[in-house]
Amino acid sequence: MTDPITNETQVHQSKRGLSGIQLTLIILAVIVLTAGITFLVIRTYIFPPDLKPVALNIQEKQELDQKLRKLGWQRESIQQDATKGESAQPEAYTESDEDREVTFSEREVNSLIGGNPDFARRVAIDLSDNLASAKILVPVPEDFPIMSGKTLRVNAGMEVRLDTSRQPVIALKGISIMGVPIPNAWLGNLKNVDLVGEFGDQGFWKKFADGVDDIQVRDGELYIKLRE
């Protein structure tokens, strides 16, 4: 005859053993997860890899060059090609509204940035509705007392749109370093301040506002229409 007390003891021991195995597995899972998160944080923020520059194909380069010509901007490569070609042919001057409208894709914007060797692997731009975001890798000088020789990952966001009076609005949304948002006070209280409205009475921002009829940042592209 089986002793009920013995059976109950065995059941409790079995339950304790099962709980111990579960606890061990949970601890191991937490260790693995913590190690993975730590590696990801170190890889992403402490030792971020260089950004991959955007390389346009031949057709994309030609399209970008045409857009830059509308803005009166000729890259060095265009100028070099022009010197190798035939002499400029005279032509009558014309202009239209279409000539004042230019749309740059996100790839084109990043390729322009990548044309500068200092920025090619350290700056990347993302374009979404009314928002231009930048990812910047900033090297820390060797003689700096903290994290010398390391690379800081900086993210910044800038609101770009037209207000109700169709004036350009350029406002800083924020800056973060290694994923930590910087307090507004450290940014000179410039977060969400319309730079054009605040400083547009003179200098660069006034010239910028006076020359832009429309500006829009949409998902993956930047649209600009210049005034007459």
Side-chain angles (χ1 to χ4, degrees), residues 86-102:
E86 299 178 357
S87 59
Q89 298 297 321
E91 59 182 34
Y93 174 78
T94 60
E95 66 176 43
S96 64
D97 284 343
E98 292 183 357
D99 294 333
R100 301 187 185 93
E101 298 181 23
V102 184

Side-chain angles (χ1 to χ4, degrees), residues 147-180:
M147 298 184 67
S148 59
K150 302 297 187 294
T151 300
L152 295 180
R153 180 175 176 174
V154 179
N155 292 84
M158 189 77 71
E159 181 182 13
V160 182
R161 60 179 177 85
L162 291 181
D163 61 14
T164 54
S165 60
R166 297 196 62 77
Q167 290 296 312
V169 173
I170 309 292
L172 177 67
K173 299 302 293 182
I175 298 176
S176 65
I177 297 180
M178 298 174 66
V180 180

Side-chain angles (χ1 to χ4, degrees), residues 20-219:
I21 294 175
Q22 289 177 335
L23 181 60
T24 302
L25 292 176
I26 291 174
I27 293 175
L28 290 176
V30 170
I31 292 175
V32 172
L33 182 61
T34 302
I37 293 176
T38 302
F39 173 80
L40 181 62
V41 170
I42 292 176
R43 180 63 176 170
T44 304
Y45 296 105
I46 307 301
F47 303 107
D50 287 346
L51 303 176
K52 184 178 180 180
V54 173
L56 302 180
N57 58 40
I58 297 178
Q59 181 178 353
E60 289 175 327
K61 288 181 180 180
Q62 292 175 347
E63 293 176 354
L64 176 58
D65 292 342
Q66 292 176 356
K67 296 176 182 180
L68 294 177
R69 288 192 184 97
K70 285 187 177 182
L71 300 178
W73 181 13
Q74 285 193 337
R75 293 187 294 175
E76 183 178 355
S77 59
I78 303 176
Q79 295 172 345
Q80 291 176 351
D81 292 341
T83 58
K84 298 176 183 178
E86 299 178 357
S87 59
Q89 298 297 321
E91 59 182 34
Y93 174 78
T94 60
E95 66 176 43
S96 64
D97 284 343
E98 292 183 357
D99 294 333
R100 301 187 185 93
E101 298 181 23
V102 184
T103 300
F104 294 99
S105 69
E106 186 176 285
R107 282 175 53 79
E108 290 173 334
V109 173
N110 281 290
S111 72
L112 289 174
I113 295 175
N116 186 319
D118 295 333
F119 295 156
R121 297 184 179 276
R122 298 193 179 278
V123 180
I125 303 297
D126 176 84
L127 301 177
S128 57
D129 290 341
N130 298 331
L131 182 66
S133 303
K135 180 191 299 181
I136 309 170
L137 302 183
V138 182
V140 180
E142 293 290 346
D143 57 352
F144 199 73
I146 301 176
M147 298 184 67
S148 59
K150 302 297 187 294
T151 300
L152 295 180
R153 180 175 176 174
V154 179
N155 292 84
M158 189 77 71
E159 181 182 13
V160 182
R161 60 179 177 85
L162 291 181
D163 61 14
T164 54
S165 60
R166 297 196 62 77
Q167 290 296 312
V169 173
I170 309 292
L172 177 67
K173 299 302 293 182
I175 298 176
S176 65
I177 297 180
M178 298 174 66
V180 180
I182 301 301
N184 191 24
W186 294 4
L187 299 175
N189 294 315
L190 289 177
K191 287 182 66 173
N192 300 313
V193 174
D194 178 15
L195 300 178
V196 177
E198 188 74 13
F199 307 105
D201 56 342
Q202 59 182 351
F204 167 79
W205 291 113
K206 177 174 175 55
K207 293 180 180 178
F208 173 79
D210 290 345
V212 174
D213 184 60
D214 192 2
I215 183 170
Q216 299 178 32
V217 175
R218 302 185 285 244
D219 188 18

